[in-house]
Amino acid sequence: MQLLHLDSSVLGGASVSRQLSAELVARHRALHPGIQVVSRDLAADPVLHLSGAHLAAFNGAATEDATITADLVKGNAYMDELFASDILVIGAPMYNLSIPTPLKAWIDRIAVAGKTFRYTATGPEGLLKGKRAFIASARGGVYSAGSPAAGLEHQESYLIGLLAFLGITDVTVVRAEGIAMGPEAKKAAVAEALADIAAISA
């Protein structure tokens, strides 16, 4: 069994999403002794955002740009890691109502027609069925269902929709929100998220 662990926060050791994603990985190690973990720090080592040169290469054009070539190799590795993994843990803080751009760049490399999804006569079909995903969500304000700002939430909803589009429908969100609303609010939110992680079963 393999777990793919992605982090995307730029805050390093101060990141709540990184704290939660690390706890999720530890929980799965406890539940699945011997599980192989592949980790990617997308903030520290991102791929480039898509460009015309990338799209040309995807369509078979040769490239002599060493930077683009190396970047394409990294993107191919992303795809290989995803296919080989049974469990996906995504550390995803909310940045400006959505996800960090390094995580979006990762998505742009793995959401590929004919590989992770396909178009059919009845609509798109995800090709990554049978995998589980866990989202370690952190956000400064409160955007959960029923809150005044719920309509501005394009972080968790985007990831859940994207994963479903790719065929991954077994998705668990572990959330710490309101963490910018004072030390006590942050402490309570993190404690609740950690309790949710401890309750995860195989």
Side-chain angles (χ1 to χ4, degrees), residues 31-111:
L31 291 170
H32 309 286
I35 191 171
Q36 180 180 354
V37 176
V38 175
S39 296
R40 285 278 184 179
D41 188 333
L42 302 177
D45 184 27
V47 285
L48 300 174
H49 289 288
L50 289 181
S51 67
H54 287 92
L55 296 180
F58 295 160
N59 287 298
T63 177
E64 296 181 359
D65 186 321
T67 299
I68 294 294
T69 299
D71 197 63
L72 292 168
V73 170
K74 185 185 292 185
N76 289 339
Y78 284 178
M79 187 75 80
D80 292 342
E81 292 162 359
L82 179 59
F83 272 111
S85 296
D86 307 284
I87 299 172
L88 181 60
V89 171
I90 305 173
M94 175 186 273
Y95 286 178
N96 296 318
L97 309 181
S98 187
I99 62 172
T101 58
L103 180 54
K104 179 57 167 64
W106 178 85
I107 289 169
D108 287 341
R109 299 308 178 86
I110 60 86

Side-chain angles (χ1 to χ4, degrees), residues 5-6 17 21 25 32 83 92 94 101 115 119 130 134-136 142 144 146 148 160 162 165 169 180 183 187 195 199:
H5 175 202
L6 306 174
S17 67
S21 73
V25 172
H32 309 286
F83 272 111
M94 175 186 273
T101 58
K115 293 186 178 181
Y119 294 110
F134 295 82
I135 299 170
V142 175
S144 51
I160 292 168
L162 181 281
F165 183 80
T169 57
K187 181 178 179 181

Side-chain angles (χ1 to χ4, degrees), residues 8 10-11 92-102 138-141 143 149 151-158 180:
S8 58
V10 300
L11 296 180
M94 175 186 273
Y95 286 178
N96 296 318
L97 309 181
S98 187
I99 62 172
T101 58
R139 44 209 198 192
Y143 299 88
L152 298 174
E153 191 279 301
H154 307 291
Q155 168 216 14
E156 293 174 9
S157 57
Y158 170 71

